[in-house]
Amino acid sequence: MAVHEAGHALVAALSERADPVAKVTILSRGAALGATEQLPEFERHLHPESYLTASLAVRLGGRAAEIVVLAEPSTGSASDLAGATELATHMVREWGFSATVGPISYGPEGPSRDNPFAGRPYAEETQRSIDQEVARLLRDAEDTATKLLRDHRQTLDRVIDLLLERETIDGSDLAAIVGAPGAADHEPAGGPLALTMTAIPGAQRRDQRGKRDR
Amino acid sequence: MAVHEAGHALVAALSERADPVAKVTILSRGAALGATEQLPEFERHLHPESYLTASLAVRLGGRAAEIVVLAEPSTGSASDLAGATELATHMVREWGFSATVGPISYGPEGPSRDNPFAGRPYAEETQRSIDQEVARLLRDAEDTATKLLRDHRQTLDRVIDLLLERETIDGSDLAAIVGAPGAADHEPAGGPLALTMTAIPGAQRRDQRGKRDR
Amino acid sequence: MAVHEAGHALVAALSERADPVAKVTILSRGAALGATEQLPEFERHLHPESYLTASLAVRLGGRAAEIVVLAEPSTGSASDLAGATELATHMVREWGFSATVGPISYGPEGPSRDNPFAGRPYAEETQRSIDQEVARLLRDAEDTATKLLRDHRQTLDRVIDLLLERETIDGSDLAAIVGAPGAADHEPAGGPLALTMTAIPGAQRRDQRGKRDR
Amino acid sequence: MAVHEAGHALVAALSERADPVAKVTILSRGAALGATEQLPEFERHLHPESYLTASLAVRLGGRAAEIVVLAEPSTGSASDLAGATELATHMVREWGFSATVGPISYGPEGPSRDNPFAGRPYAEETQRSIDQEVARLLRDAEDTATKLLRDHRQTLDRVIDLLLERETIDGSDLAAIVGAPGAADHEPAGGPLALTMTAIPGAQRRDQRGKRDR
Amino acid sequence: MAVHEAGHALVAALSERADPVAKVTILSRGAALGATEQLPEFERHLHPESYLTASLAVRLGGRAAEIVVLAEPSTGSASDLAGATELATHMVREWGFSATVGPISYGPEGPSRDNPFAGRPYAEETQRSIDQEVARLLRDAEDTATKLLRDHRQTLDRVIDLLLERETIDGSDLAAIVGAPGAADHEPAGGPLALTMTAIPGAQRRDQRGKRDR
Amino acid sequence: MAVHEAGHALVAALSERADPVAKVTILSRGAALGATEQLPEFERHLHPESYLTASLAVRLGGRAAEIVVLAEPSTGSASDLAGATELATHMVREWGFSATVGPISYGPEGPSRDNPFAGRPYAEETQRSIDQEVARLLRDAEDTATKLLRDHRQTLDRVIDLLLERETIDGSDLAAIVGAPGAADHEPAGGPLALTMTAIPGAQRRDQRGKRDR
């Protein structure tokens, strides 16, 4: 878990456009084995493209750290992948952030409780193009995260060690290692807190003693 | 928001076939962060193709202004893209305005509450052709809007500045900058008002103090 | 409207196989902005292929006139396109009038209220072939109508002028201009009247003063 | 109608494997404008492939006669095409009579009242192959019928004339013209009567005076 | 019927891996026009691939005999084809018996009463590959059966003659002709009896006098 | 059964990353004809990729043993194939373990009782890519298992003989043959027990005398 959470936190701390890190923990709570919290610097209504691209890299930071440190990914990134895929899909299908797909919005994805009869209102070929762009955004985000972590491998190891030692660290601890300002230095803007949790895939609720494995 | 609304308003003011602009505002109301209103010069029953093509460019004017001024689009065009996509789809599927698809009407898009069993009554390949034409209309509209705004960059900056200063301007203010007549110079024809609102994607209703960010 | 209705009427009057024109009007009634009525010369049970091909050209005559006279089509042909598409689809799918698709009948188009579970009982590729033939029939019909109207451009202008002057003309008026016999010269055969109405797309019912625009 | 019914009857009379003709009529009854009846020579439980191939040609005989005599088909073959398509589909999908599709049975065609959830249990490509074979069987049947009628054009004209004169003829009348035995020469075997009716497509029930057109 | 049942019986008797034949009859019972019964030599829980391949050949033996003796198949193999297709589909989709499809199981075929929402959980391309393998297994089985019967044509004729003479024969009669042991020589193992019945396609229940045709 | 269970057990015992074997039996219980139990060495929350790859090989070990020893697979691997396919599908669709498909999660597979309207939210082409990767993982697992068993053929035969002799063996028996430690040498970690059972496909519950066949 320390490897995984250190990945999220360090990618966030190193990405200029990402919200600053407020807290990182490897103490498990319920089904969550660990968590990284970010606090936005100011309240946003509209998100520029580059802010969202940085968000994707932070989400894939845990998996990137596993690949960099342990040489193979684990099932621990299941919920990160699901969240990042959902965001990337919005970016391509509805917000016009893919040059290939273009300035177009394909609306909600087919049938829902409110509109049970809606089908897919566009062609397979269009969906294929959307899929390719979504996959590209995610690969790019993994590449960005992996490269950042390889370039700062020693910093990553220091974050992992501190997490294993203290189990929870905050933005200023991270800033001290990375040399970048943490969220603690900001007045929180009151916007929604970005929380990346690492869950046991399909986990049932179980006792909540602190656990860790590296 | 000033950049975005100035884009809508200026593309409308500069398009010969578009309805004249009546009011532009960056004061937020509910989920709407800003709005541009156009008033038709006379009541129309049937819309010629060129009128609808101009409407698409006005819709994409906000996004075009973000690209021209801020160098990247934001999620602020989500509802513009949805509306423009819907209009372009009607043009291609039902009104015969695509030379590639031809003089044909493919009827409503599959199942609805009234006709829950309707499927897609034509082939994937046909849908693909429709999708390509819809995407082409939207790209053409973005290109038209972007080119108009780049060609009138100084005028655009003046509209943005005036919006930031006064928060709401009307057709005659815009006309004074652009040198084109505003809707205020016309007797309104009683037709439906074309209103382009910029909404927070997925926004919940919140307090309504005036807000702006550039 | 005068341009549009004159197109329907003149294509009907000039097509040997089409039913003769009984009345043409640009007076609006409810959602209908104008109408062209044809009266069959005798009661038919079975329709030969050439009779149906002429019907398609009459349906597309309004759009053809807009293209010939105004240089661009309008949304005024929406219901003409829908009707012509439906007829052309029957010709190809059920009546064996396409050499490419062949002497075959693909039955009703999927699920309906009576048979909610019916799917498409043939392949995508077959539907694609049907779509291509339907589109071809409609393009051919548009070409036929456009060519007829270009070849008789002066006659077309005279019909438009008469419609603008009198708002409603009958078959003998038309015959006087065209030099072809009108339906008024026939004893009506009692068959169903072919009525081509031009509706406001998605129009709500409104007051019914006579309106026209050219 | 005389042309159409004469086509069914003559193809049946000239096909060695087809059941003999019992009666042909161009008197309309309800929605039926005419009919050709065949009586099986003996009771069959299992149908050999060649018997079914001949049945297809008889079904398409009406359309073939229209093409041979009138140079264009009419909507009068709508129900013949529907019936022949259904039979050809069984031959290919369920009875193994296509060398291309092979000795295989694809079961009933998707969902039904009894099994509303059944989907198509095979691939698009397979359906495409089925469609091509069904279309081939029908084209072959049309070719067979057209060739038979062209080869016996004078006989065909004689059958048409007799039908126009008497409105109803029986198997022995037909045999006298064709020189082949009619069903009247057989003791009926008690099997199901093969009845080919020509209906007005989508016809509503109307008065039942005898009608004909050639 | 004698030809058809003799085919089933002889392929079973000649296939080393097939269960021995217990009884063959051409007496019709209800909708069944004839039947061939096989009795397993011992109780099986797991079926090796070669046992199932032999079962397919026995199923297609009736059709193979029609082709060998009568030169064309009939609708009498409809239920054989349905059963053989179902078995071959299990072999390919669920039991891993196709080298092309591989060691994989695609689970039940889409929606059912218990799970009405299940869709096809794999790609068209995969279904296409499954279809090709199912068709190949059936063609191979037909080839095997046809070759066996051609190689033992005189034996086949003798079985047909005996069936026509006695209407029902048992395993020892068959063994006497073929020179192979019948099921009667075994102590039945109590396993399920493999029964191949030949039904009238879509037959309604009718009187049950013995009938036959060759 | 001995061949099949010996395959599961020996692949597990020989795979470094697999959980140790606790018990192997060919005594049937209910529909299960045999079973192999593995006990995890320690409690895992997150599974690394290599652990899951080894699990697939263990699942396909029964089939691999049939191919190595009996030269053909049987229907006895039906439930192994279903389980292995399900696991491989999770690996590719949700956990990002395919380089071809990439770091992406496609969420649950279409409609379910809780969300009956969900369709497949991605393209055919993407599903095809998923299918190819799932099939590749399973082929690789079969190859791994087959190679392991061929390389240790004598050990395999010894495990089979011991199973036939004693019907049930435990981890230490297996360890004695293989020379690797069994689960019995570990303190069980309390994690979920991995149980591979071999069931009669579609079996109904029957009496439970011990049965075996080799």
Side-chain angles (χ1 to χ4, degrees):
Chain A
M1 274 326 302
V3 171
H4 188 96
E5 293 306 326
H8 286 307
L10 189 53
V11 173
L14 294 170
S15 299
E16 196 188 344
R17 299 300 306 253
D19 291 322
V21 174
K23 206 175 85 172
V24 193
T25 183
I26 56 171
L27 285 170
S28 66
R29 275 211 269 174
L33 301 177
T36 298
E37 291 174 18
Q38 292 170 270
L39 268 183
E41 285 174 273
F42 50 87
E43 192 178 6
R44 289 173 189 280
H45 296 302
L46 307 179
H47 298 292
E49 188 176 6
S50 54
Y51 173 83
L52 299 172
T53 306
S55 294
L56 291 179
V58 173
R59 290 278 185 133
L60 295 188
R63 176 178 158 102
E66 290 175 358
I67 293 170
V68 169
V69 178
L70 307 171
E72 68 174 339
S74 79
T75 55
S77 301
S79 60
D80 296 336
L81 290 175
T85 303
E86 192 183 342
L87 176 57
T89 303
H90 283 298
M91 292 169 70
V92 173
R93 288 183 81 260
E94 293 171 49
W95 300 339
F97 290 160
S98 154
T100 306
V101 170
I104 198 166
S105 170
Y106 289 106
E109 272 191 46
S112 63
R113 196 165 296 274
D114 285 342
N115 187 9
F117 300 121
R120 182 183 288 174
Y122 48 85
E124 251 319 286
E125 179 69 20
T126 301
Q127 182 68 57
R128 182 184 169 184
S129 172
I130 291 170
D131 285 8
Q132 285 174 339
E133 285 295 281
V134 168
R136 186 186 56 77
L137 286 180
L138 292 167
R139 281 183 207 274
D140 287 356
E142 188 185 67
D143 288 349
T144 301
T146 310
K147 185 170 189 322
L148 265 180
L149 297 180
R150 284 203 211 280
D151 289 351
H152 299 80
R153 176 63 198 267
Q154 290 185 339
T155 311
L156 176 60
D157 287 342
R158 253 174 283 144
V159 178
I160 294 168
D161 289 342
L162 196 67
L163 267 173
L164 288 172
E165 187 189 319
R166 301 202 202 155
E167 295 194 329
T168 300
I169 62 179
D170 64 18
S172 53
D173 298 327
L174 192 63
I177 298 175
V178 177
D185 303 336
H186 297 272
E187 212 41 46
L193 184 124
L195 181 62
T196 307
M197 292 202 310
T198 304
I200 306 170
Q204 290 137 315
R205 190 161 283 268
R206 29 195 316 174
D207 67 52
Q208 300 184 9
R209 283 167 294 130
K211 287 162 193 141
R212 68 186 179 213
D213 44 299
R214 183 190 166 169
Chain B
M1 274 325 302
V3 171
H4 188 95
E5 293 306 326
H8 286 306
L10 190 52
V11 173
L14 294 170
S15 299
E16 196 188 343
R17 299 301 306 252
D19 290 322
V21 175
K23 206 176 85 171
V24 193
T25 184
I26 56 172
L27 285 170
S28 66
R29 275 211 269 174
L33 302 177
T36 297
E37 291 175 17
Q38 292 170 270
L39 270 183
E41 284 174 273
F42 52 86
E43 193 177 4
R44 290 172 189 280
H45 296 301
L46 307 179
H47 297 293
E49 187 176 6
S50 53
Y51 173 83
L52 298 171
T53 306
S55 294
L56 291 179
V58 173
R59 290 277 186 136
L60 294 188
R63 176 176 157 103
E66 290 175 358
I67 292 170
V68 168
V69 177
L70 307 171
E72 68 174 338
S74 79
T75 55
S77 301
S79 60
D80 296 336
L81 291 175
T85 303
E86 192 183 342
L87 176 56
T89 304
H90 283 298
M91 292 169 70
V92 173
R93 288 183 80 259
E94 293 171 48
W95 300 338
F97 291 161
S98 153
T100 306
V101 169
I104 198 167
S105 169
Y106 289 106
E109 271 191 47
S112 63
R113 197 164 296 274
D114 285 343
N115 189 8
F117 301 121
R120 181 182 287 174
Y122 48 86
E124 250 320 287
E125 178 69 19
T126 301
Q127 182 68 55
R128 181 184 169 184
S129 172
I130 290 170
D131 284 10
Q132 286 174 339
E133 284 296 280
V134 168
R136 186 185 57 76
L137 286 181
L138 292 167
R139 280 182 208 275
D140 287 355
E142 189 186 65
D143 288 350
T144 300
T146 310
K147 185 171 187 322
L148 265 181
L149 297 179
R150 284 203 211 281
D151 289 351
H152 298 80
R153 176 63 198 267
Q154 291 184 339
T155 310
L156 176 60
D157 287 343
R158 253 175 281 145
V159 177
I160 294 168
D161 289 343
L162 197 67
L163 268 174
L164 288 173
E165 188 190 319
R166 300 202 201 155
E167 297 194 327
T168 300
I169 62 178
D170 65 18
S172 54
D173 299 327
L174 192 63
I177 298 175
V178 177
D185 303 336
H186 298 273
E187 211 44 43
L193 185 124
L195 181 62
T196 308
M197 291 203 312
T198 305
I200 307 171
Q204 291 137 314
R205 190 161 282 267
R206 27 195 319 173
D207 67 53
Q208 300 184 8
R209 284 167 295 131
K211 286 163 193 137
R212 69 188 177 211
D213 43 300
R214 184 193 165 167
Chain C
M1 275 324 302
V3 171
H4 188 96
E5 294 306 327
H8 287 307
L10 190 53
V11 172
L14 294 170
S15 299
E16 196 188 343
R17 300 299 307 252
D19 290 322
V21 175
K23 205 176 85 172
V24 193
T25 183
I26 57 172
L27 284 170
S28 67
R29 275 212 269 175
L33 302 177
T36 297
E37 292 175 17
Q38 292 170 269
L39 270 183
E41 284 173 272
F42 50 86
E43 193 178 5
R44 290 174 188 280
H45 297 300
L46 307 179
H47 298 292
E49 187 175 8
S50 53
Y51 173 83
L52 298 171
T53 307
S55 293
L56 291 179
V58 173
R59 290 276 186 136
L60 294 188
R63 176 178 157 102
E66 290 176 357
I67 292 170
V68 168
V69 177
L70 306 171
E72 67 174 340
S74 79
T75 55
S77 301
S79 60
D80 296 336
L81 290 174
T85 303
E86 192 183 342
L87 176 56
T89 303
H90 283 298
M91 292 169 71
V92 173
R93 289 182 80 258
E94 293 170 49
W95 299 339
F97 291 161
S98 153
T100 307
V101 170
I104 198 166
S105 170
Y106 289 106
E109 272 190 46
S112 63
R113 197 164 295 276
D114 285 343
N115 188 8
F117 301 122
R120 180 182 288 173
Y122 48 86
E124 250 320 286
E125 179 68 19
T126 301
Q127 182 68 58
R128 181 184 169 183
S129 172
I130 290 170
D131 285 9
Q132 286 174 339
E133 284 295 280
V134 168
R136 186 185 56 76
L137 285 181
L138 292 168
R139 280 181 209 275
D140 287 356
E142 190 185 64
D143 289 349
T144 300
T146 310
K147 187 171 186 323
L148 264 181
L149 296 180
R150 284 201 213 282
D151 290 351
H152 298 79
R153 176 63 197 268
Q154 291 185 338
T155 310
L156 175 60
D157 288 342
R158 252 176 282 145
V159 177
I160 294 169
D161 289 342
L162 197 67
L163 267 173
L164 287 172
E165 188 189 317
R166 299 202 202 154
E167 297 194 325
T168 299
I169 62 179
D170 65 17
S172 54
D173 299 327
L174 192 64
I177 298 174
V178 178
D185 303 337
H186 299 272
E187 216 39 48
L193 184 123
L195 180 63
T196 308
M197 291 202 312
T198 306
I200 307 171
Q204 291 138 316
R205 189 162 282 266
R206 25 193 322 171
D207 66 54
Q208 299 184 9
R209 285 166 294 132
K211 285 163 194 138
R212 68 187 179 213
D213 43 301
R214 185 193 163 167
Chain D
M1 275 326 300
V3 171
H4 188 96
E5 294 306 327
H8 286 308
L10 190 52
V11 172
L14 295 170
S15 299
E16 196 188 344
R17 300 299 307 250
D19 290 323
V21 175
K23 205 176 86 172
V24 192
T25 183
I26 56 172
L27 284 170
S28 66
R29 275 212 269 174
L33 302 177
T36 297
E37 292 176 16
Q38 292 170 269
L39 269 183
E41 285 174 273
F42 51 88
E43 192 178 5
R44 290 173 188 280
H45 297 302
L46 307 180
H47 298 292
E49 186 175 9
S50 54
Y51 173 82
L52 298 171
T53 306
S55 293
L56 290 179
V58 172
R59 289 277 186 135
L60 293 188
R63 176 179 157 102
E66 289 176 357
I67 292 170
V68 168
V69 177
L70 307 171
E72 66 175 341
S74 78
T75 55
S77 301
S79 60
D80 296 336
L81 291 175
T85 303
E86 193 183 341
L87 176 56
T89 303
H90 283 298
M91 291 169 71
V92 173
R93 289 182 80 258
E94 293 170 49
W95 299 339
F97 291 161
S98 154
T100 307
V101 170
I104 197 166
S105 170
Y106 289 107
E109 273 190 46
S112 63
R113 196 165 297 273
D114 285 343
N115 189 8
F117 301 121
R120 180 184 290 174
Y122 48 86
E124 249 321 286
E125 179 69 19
T126 301
Q127 182 67 57
R128 180 183 170 183
S129 172
I130 290 170
D131 285 8
Q132 285 174 340
E133 284 296 280
V134 168
R136 186 185 58 75
L137 286 181
L138 292 167
R139 279 181 209 275
D140 288 356
E142 189 186 64
D143 289 350
T144 301
T146 309
K147 186 170 186 325
L148 265 181
L149 296 181
R150 283 201 213 282
D151 290 351
H152 298 79
R153 176 63 198 265
Q154 291 186 338
T155 311
L156 175 60
D157 288 342
R158 253 176 281 144
V159 177
I160 294 168
D161 289 342
L162 197 67
L163 267 173
L164 287 172
E165 188 188 318
R166 299 202 201 154
E167 297 194 326
T168 299
I169 63 180
D170 65 17
S172 54
D173 299 326
L174 192 63
I177 298 174
V178 178
D185 303 337
H186 298 273
E187 212 44 43
L193 184 123
L195 181 62
T196 308
M197 291 202 311
T198 305
I200 306 171
Q204 291 137 316
R205 188 162 283 267
R206 25 194 322 170
D207 66 54
Q208 298 184 10
R209 285 167 294 133
K211 286 165 195 137
R212 68 188 178 213
D213 43 300
R214 185 193 163 167
Chain E
M1 274 325 301
V3 171
H4 187 96
E5 293 306 326
H8 287 307
L10 190 52
V11 173
L14 295 170
S15 299
E16 195 188 344
R17 300 299 307 252
D19 291 323
V21 175
K23 203 175 86 172
V24 193
T25 182
I26 56 172
L27 284 170
S28 65
R29 273 212 269 175
L33 302 177
T36 298
E37 292 175 16
Q38 293 170 269
L39 269 183
E41 284 174 274
F42 51 87
E43 192 178 6
R44 288 175 190 280
H45 298 301
L46 307 180
H47 298 293
E49 187 175 7
S50 53
Y51 173 81
L52 298 172
T53 305
S55 293
L56 291 180
V58 172
R59 289 277 185 134
L60 294 189
R63 176 178 157 103
E66 290 176 358
I67 292 170
V68 168
V69 176
L70 306 172
E72 66 175 340
S74 78
T75 55
S77 301
S79 60
D80 296 336
L81 291 175
T85 303
E86 193 183 341
L87 176 56
T89 304
H90 283 298
M91 291 169 71
V92 173
R93 289 183 79 257
E94 294 170 48
W95 300 338
F97 291 161
S98 154
T100 306
V101 169
I104 197 166
S105 170
Y106 289 106
E109 273 190 45
S112 63
R113 198 165 296 273
D114 284 344
N115 188 8
F117 301 121
R120 181 184 289 173
Y122 48 84
E124 250 320 285
E125 179 69 19
T126 302
Q127 181 68 57
R128 181 183 168 184
S129 172
I130 290 169
D131 285 9
Q132 285 174 339
E133 285 294 280
V134 169
R136 186 185 57 76
L137 286 181
L138 292 167
R139 280 182 209 274
D140 287 356
E142 189 186 65
D143 289 350
T144 300
T146 310
K147 186 171 187 321
L148 265 181
L149 297 180
R150 284 202 212 281
D151 289 352
H152 299 78
R153 176 64 198 265
Q154 290 186 339
T155 311
L156 175 60
D157 288 341
R158 251 175 284 144
V159 176
I160 294 168
D161 289 343
L162 197 67
L163 267 173
L164 287 172
E165 188 189 319
R166 300 202 202 155
E167 297 193 327
T168 300
I169 62 180
D170 64 17
S172 54
D173 298 327
L174 192 63
I177 298 175
V178 178
D185 304 336
H186 298 273
E187 211 44 43
L193 183 123
L195 181 62
T196 307
M197 290 201 312
T198 304
I200 306 170
Q204 291 138 313
R205 188 162 284 267
R206 28 195 316 174
D207 66 54
Q208 299 184 10
R209 284 167 294 133
K211 287 164 194 136
R212 69 188 176 211
D213 43 299
R214 185 193 165 167
Chain F
M1 274 326 302
V3 172
H4 188 96
E5 293 306 325
H8 286 307
L10 189 53
V11 173
L14 294 170
S15 299
E16 195 188 344
R17 300 299 307 251
D19 291 323
V21 174
K23 203 176 86 173
V24 193
T25 182
I26 57 172
L27 285 170
S28 67
R29 274 212 270 174
L33 302 177
T36 298
E37 292 174 16
Q38 292 170 270
L39 268 183
E41 285 174 274
F42 51 87
E43 192 178 4
R44 288 174 190 279
H45 297 301
L46 307 180
H47 298 293
E49 188 176 5
S50 53
Y51 173 82
L52 299 172
T53 305
S55 293
L56 291 180
V58 173
R59 289 278 185 133
L60 294 188
R63 176 177 158 102
E66 289 176 359
I67 292 170
V68 169
V69 177
L70 307 171
E72 67 174 339
S74 79
T75 56
S77 301
S79 60
D80 296 336
L81 290 175
T85 303
E86 193 183 341
L87 175 56
T89 303
H90 283 298
M91 292 170 70
V92 173
R93 288 183 80 258
E94 294 170 48
W95 299 339
F97 291 160
S98 153
T100 306
V101 170
I104 197 165
S105 169
Y106 289 106
E109 272 190 46
S112 63
R113 196 165 297 273
D114 285 342
N115 188 9
F117 301 121
R120 181 184 287 173
Y122 48 84
E124 251 319 287
E125 179 69 20
T126 301
Q127 181 68 57
R128 182 183 169 185
S129 172
I130 291 169
D131 285 8
Q132 286 174 338
E133 285 295 281
V134 168
R136 187 186 56 77
L137 286 180
L138 293 167
R139 281 183 208 275
D140 287 356
E142 188 186 67
D143 288 350
T144 301
T146 310
K147 185 170 188 322
L148 265 180
L149 297 179
R150 285 203 211 281
D151 289 350
H152 299 79
R153 176 63 198 267
Q154 291 186 339
T155 311
L156 175 60
D157 288 342
R158 252 175 283 143
V159 177
I160 294 168
D161 289 342
L162 197 66
L163 267 173
L164 287 172
E165 186 188 321
R166 299 202 203 154
E167 296 193 327
T168 300
I169 62 179
D170 64 18
S172 54
D173 299 327
L174 192 63
I177 298 175
V178 178
D185 303 335
H186 297 273
E187 211 43 45
L193 183 123
L195 181 61
T196 307
M197 291 203 310
T198 304
I200 305 170
Q204 290 139 314
R205 189 161 284 266
R206 30 196 313 174
D207 67 53
Q208 300 184 9
R209 283 166 296 130
K211 287 164 192 135
R212 70 185 177 215
D213 43 301
R214 184 192 165 166

